[in-house]
Short mmCIF file of all heavy atoms in Angstrom, two decimals:
data_model
loop_
_atom_site.label_atom_id
_atom_site.label_comp_id
_atom_site.label_asym_id
_atom_site.label_seq_id
_atom_site.Cartn_x
_atom_site.Cartn_y
_atom_site.Cartn_z
N PHE A 117 -10.41 -3.45 28.56
CA PHE A 117 -10.28 -2.03 28.93
C PHE A 117 -9.24 -1.86 30.04
O PHE A 117 -8.41 -0.96 30.00
CB PHE A 117 -11.64 -1.46 29.36
CG PHE A 117 -11.58 -0.03 29.77
CD1 PHE A 117 -11.44 0.97 28.83
CD2 PHE A 117 -11.62 0.32 31.13
CE1 PHE A 117 -11.37 2.30 29.21
CE2 PHE A 117 -11.56 1.64 31.51
CZ PHE A 117 -11.43 2.64 30.56
N GLY A 118 -9.29 -2.74 31.03
CA GLY A 118 -8.32 -2.68 32.13
C GLY A 118 -6.90 -2.90 31.64
O GLY A 118 -5.97 -2.21 32.06
N ALA A 119 -6.71 -3.86 30.74
CA ALA A 119 -5.38 -4.13 30.19
C ALA A 119 -4.86 -2.93 29.41
O ALA A 119 -3.69 -2.55 29.53
CB ALA A 119 -5.43 -5.37 29.30
N VAL A 120 -5.72 -2.33 28.62
CA VAL A 120 -5.32 -1.14 27.85
C VAL A 120 -4.99 0.01 28.78
O VAL A 120 -3.99 0.71 28.60
CB VAL A 120 -6.44 -0.74 26.84
CG1 VAL A 120 -6.16 0.62 26.23
CG2 VAL A 120 -6.57 -1.80 25.76
N LEU A 121 -5.80 0.19 29.81
CA LEU A 121 -5.57 1.27 30.77
C LEU A 121 -4.24 1.08 31.50
O LEU A 121 -3.46 2.03 31.65
CB LEU A 121 -6.73 1.34 31.77
CG LEU A 121 -6.70 2.49 32.76
CD1 LEU A 121 -6.77 3.82 32.02
CD2 LEU A 121 -7.85 2.37 33.74
N VAL A 122 -3.95 -0.13 31.94
CA VAL A 122 -2.69 -0.41 32.61
C VAL A 122 -1.51 -0.15 31.67
O VAL A 122 -0.51 0.45 32.06
CB VAL A 122 -2.67 -1.87 33.14
CG1 VAL A 122 -1.27 -2.28 33.56
CG2 VAL A 122 -3.64 -2.02 34.30
N THR A 123 -1.64 -0.57 30.43
CA THR A 123 -0.58 -0.36 29.45
C THR A 123 -0.34 1.13 29.22
O THR A 123 0.80 1.58 29.18
CB THR A 123 -0.93 -1.05 28.12
OG1 THR A 123 -1.14 -2.45 28.36
CG2 THR A 123 0.18 -0.87 27.10
N VAL A 124 -1.41 1.89 29.08
CA VAL A 124 -1.28 3.33 28.86
C VAL A 124 -0.62 3.99 30.07
O VAL A 124 0.29 4.81 29.91
CB VAL A 124 -2.66 3.97 28.57
CG1 VAL A 124 -2.60 5.48 28.66
CG2 VAL A 124 -3.16 3.53 27.21
N ILE A 125 -1.03 3.62 31.26
CA ILE A 125 -0.45 4.21 32.47
C ILE A 125 1.04 3.88 32.56
O ILE A 125 1.87 4.75 32.88
CB ILE A 125 -1.21 3.73 33.73
CG1 ILE A 125 -2.60 4.35 33.76
CG2 ILE A 125 -0.44 4.05 35.00
CD1 ILE A 125 -3.51 3.80 34.84
N ARG A 126 1.40 2.65 32.27
CA ARG A 126 2.82 2.27 32.31
C ARG A 126 3.63 3.04 31.27
O ARG A 126 4.76 3.46 31.53
CB ARG A 126 2.98 0.78 32.10
CG ARG A 126 2.48 -0.03 33.30
CD ARG A 126 2.74 -1.47 33.11
NE ARG A 126 4.19 -1.68 33.14
CZ ARG A 126 4.75 -2.86 33.17
NH1 ARG A 126 4.02 -3.93 33.17
NH2 ARG A 126 6.05 -2.97 33.19
N GLN A 127 3.09 3.21 30.09
CA GLN A 127 3.81 3.92 29.03
C GLN A 127 3.98 5.40 29.38
O GLN A 127 5.03 5.99 29.13
CB GLN A 127 3.10 3.77 27.68
CG GLN A 127 3.16 2.36 27.13
CD GLN A 127 4.58 1.91 26.89
OE1 GLN A 127 5.42 2.66 26.43
NE2 GLN A 127 4.86 0.67 27.22
N VAL A 128 2.94 6.01 29.93
CA VAL A 128 3.03 7.40 30.34
C VAL A 128 4.08 7.55 31.44
O VAL A 128 4.90 8.47 31.42
CB VAL A 128 1.66 7.95 30.80
CG1 VAL A 128 1.79 9.28 31.51
CG2 VAL A 128 0.71 8.06 29.61
N GLY A 129 4.10 6.62 32.39
CA GLY A 129 5.11 6.64 33.45
C GLY A 129 6.51 6.51 32.89
O GLY A 129 7.43 7.21 33.31
N ALA A 130 6.70 5.60 31.95
CA ALA A 130 8.02 5.42 31.33
C ALA A 130 8.44 6.68 30.59
O ALA A 130 9.61 7.08 30.65
CB ALA A 130 7.99 4.23 30.37
N HIS A 131 7.50 7.32 29.92
CA HIS A 131 7.80 8.56 29.20
C HIS A 131 8.23 9.66 30.17
O HIS A 131 9.20 10.37 29.93
CB HIS A 131 6.58 8.99 28.39
CG HIS A 131 6.73 10.32 27.73
ND1 HIS A 131 7.56 10.52 26.65
CD2 HIS A 131 6.19 11.52 28.01
CE1 HIS A 131 7.51 11.79 26.30
NE2 HIS A 131 6.68 12.42 27.12
N LEU A 132 7.49 9.78 31.27
CA LEU A 132 7.82 10.82 32.25
C LEU A 132 9.17 10.55 32.91
O LEU A 132 9.96 11.48 33.14
CB LEU A 132 6.72 10.92 33.31
CG LEU A 132 5.37 11.44 32.81
CD1 LEU A 132 4.34 11.38 33.92
CD2 LEU A 132 5.50 12.84 32.26
N ARG A 133 9.47 9.29 33.20
CA ARG A 133 10.77 8.95 33.78
C ARG A 133 11.90 9.27 32.80
O ARG A 133 12.95 9.77 33.18
CB ARG A 133 10.82 7.48 34.18
CG ARG A 133 10.11 7.19 35.48
CD ARG A 133 10.38 5.76 35.96
NE ARG A 133 10.00 4.73 35.00
CZ ARG A 133 8.78 4.24 34.86
NH1 ARG A 133 7.80 4.69 35.62
NH2 ARG A 133 8.54 3.29 33.97
N ALA A 134 11.69 8.96 31.52
CA ALA A 134 12.72 9.23 30.52
C ALA A 134 12.95 10.73 30.38
O ALA A 134 14.10 11.19 30.28
CB ALA A 134 12.30 8.64 29.16
N ARG A 135 11.89 11.51 30.40
CA ARG A 135 12.02 12.96 30.31
C ARG A 135 12.77 13.51 31.52
O ARG A 135 13.64 14.37 31.39
CB ARG A 135 10.65 13.62 30.19
CG ARG A 135 10.79 15.13 29.97
CD ARG A 135 9.48 15.85 30.00
NE ARG A 135 8.55 15.36 29.00
CZ ARG A 135 7.31 15.78 28.90
NH1 ARG A 135 6.84 16.69 29.72
NH2 ARG A 135 6.51 15.30 27.96
N ALA A 136 12.44 13.00 32.70
CA ALA A 136 13.12 13.45 33.92
C ALA A 136 14.61 13.09 33.86
O ALA A 136 15.46 13.87 34.28
CB ALA A 136 12.47 12.82 35.14
N GLN A 137 14.92 11.92 33.35
CA GLN A 137 16.32 11.50 33.24
C GLN A 137 17.08 12.40 32.27
O GLN A 137 18.21 12.80 32.54
CB GLN A 137 16.41 10.05 32.79
CG GLN A 137 17.84 9.55 32.72
CD GLN A 137 17.92 8.08 32.32
OE1 GLN A 137 16.90 7.44 32.11
NE2 GLN A 137 19.12 7.57 32.24
N LEU A 138 16.46 12.76 31.16
CA LEU A 138 17.12 13.66 30.20
C LEU A 138 17.37 15.03 30.82
O LEU A 138 18.44 15.62 30.63
CB LEU A 138 16.27 13.80 28.94
CG LEU A 138 16.25 12.59 28.01
CD1 LEU A 138 15.27 12.82 26.86
CD2 LEU A 138 17.64 12.30 27.48
N THR A 139 16.41 15.52 31.57
CA THR A 139 16.57 16.80 32.25
C THR A 139 17.70 16.73 33.26
O THR A 139 18.55 17.62 33.33
CB THR A 139 15.26 17.21 32.96
OG1 THR A 139 14.22 17.27 31.99
CG2 THR A 139 15.40 18.54 33.65
N ARG A 140 17.73 15.64 34.03
CA ARG A 140 18.78 15.46 35.03
C ARG A 140 20.15 15.38 34.37
O ARG A 140 21.12 15.98 34.83
CB ARG A 140 18.47 14.18 35.82
CG ARG A 140 19.13 14.07 37.14
CD ARG A 140 18.63 12.91 37.99
NE ARG A 140 18.23 11.71 37.27
CZ ARG A 140 16.98 11.30 37.12
NH1 ARG A 140 15.98 12.00 37.61
NH2 ARG A 140 16.70 10.19 36.46
N GLU A 141 20.26 14.66 33.26
CA GLU A 141 21.53 14.55 32.55
C GLU A 141 21.98 15.90 32.01
O GLU A 141 23.17 16.22 32.04
CB GLU A 141 21.43 13.53 31.42
CG GLU A 141 21.36 12.10 31.91
CD GLU A 141 21.11 11.12 30.80
OE1 GLU A 141 20.97 11.52 29.63
OE2 GLU A 141 21.04 9.90 31.10
N ALA A 142 21.05 16.69 31.51
CA ALA A 142 21.40 18.03 31.01
C ALA A 142 21.91 18.90 32.15
O ALA A 142 22.88 19.66 31.98
CB ALA A 142 20.18 18.67 30.34
#
């Protein structure tokens, strides 16, 4: 459960960073 939770948190963070980068580039 901890491993899955860490993976989900990292993926959500990566998604949010990518979205922020796209907004910044626009």
Side-chain angles (χ1 to χ4, degrees):
F117 179 74
V120 169
L121 185 62
V122 167
T123 302
V124 167
I125 290 172
R126 289 184 67 171
Q127 291 299 320
V128 168
H131 174 72
L132 292 175
R133 282 190 302 277
R135 185 187 301 175
Q137 182 177 0
L138 287 175
T139 302
R140 200 170 34 252
E141 288 174 359

